[in-house]
């Protein structure tokens, strides 16, 4: 995990951050709306977030932040201050 450069990491954090603090899961359409993108772009973002471990797929087929994603965002928010 996280074998990516800083620019890519910041982009992944940018897309993950709006989901931080929420204990709910999201459909692909909901994520596209949150990210203000079309469905194809949302699929690409989602695929990258899943590959790097930021988001996981639930049994019901929805998506939510993984524990690792929550930890990384919390660290990012502290460093960003």
């Amino acid at each position: 995990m996280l074998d990516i450069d800083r620019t890519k990491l910041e982009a992944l954090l940018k897309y993950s951050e709006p989901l931080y603090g929420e204990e709910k899961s999201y459909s692909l359409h909901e994520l596209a709306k949150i990210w203000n993108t079309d469905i194809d772009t949302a699929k690409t973002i989602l695929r990258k977030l899943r590959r790097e471990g930021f988001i996981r797929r639930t049994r019901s087929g929805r998506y939510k932040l993984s524990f690792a994603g929550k930890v990384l965002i919390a660290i990012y928010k502290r460093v960003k201050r």
Side-chain angles (χ1 to χ4, degrees):
M1 189 176 121
L2 293 181
D3 185 23
I4 55 179
D5 65 46
R6 181 181 172 149
T7 306
K8 288 181 184 177
L9 177 60
E10 287 179 350
L12 293 173
L13 286 164
K14 179 185 104 176
Y15 286 110
S16 302
E17 199 169 7
L19 313 179
Y20 184 73
E22 298 286 331
E23 286 299 320
K24 62 184 261 185
S25 58
Y26 301 89
S27 68
L28 175 61
H29 293 281
E30 290 169 327
L31 290 171
K33 195 174 199 177
I34 289 168
W35 295 330
N36 196 28
T37 64
D38 59 70
I39 295 297
D40 290 332
T41 304
K43 284 180 185 178
T44 301
I45 294 166
L46 186 59
R47 192 173 24 255
K48 290 176 182 180
L49 289 170
R50 286 187 70 200
R51 183 177 49 232
E52 297 301 334
F54 281 82
I55 287 183
R56 66 180 182 85
R57 188 166 185 221
T58 66
R59 289 182 185 159
S60 63
R62 294 172 65 86
Y63 302 93
K64 68 188 300 180
L65 278 178
S66 65
F67 180 73
K70 290 176 187 176
V71 170
L72 289 169
I73 293 168
I75 293 168
Y76 177 69
K77 284 178 170 260
R78 291 191 135 211
V79 170
K80 193 167 78 169
R81 282 191 226 162

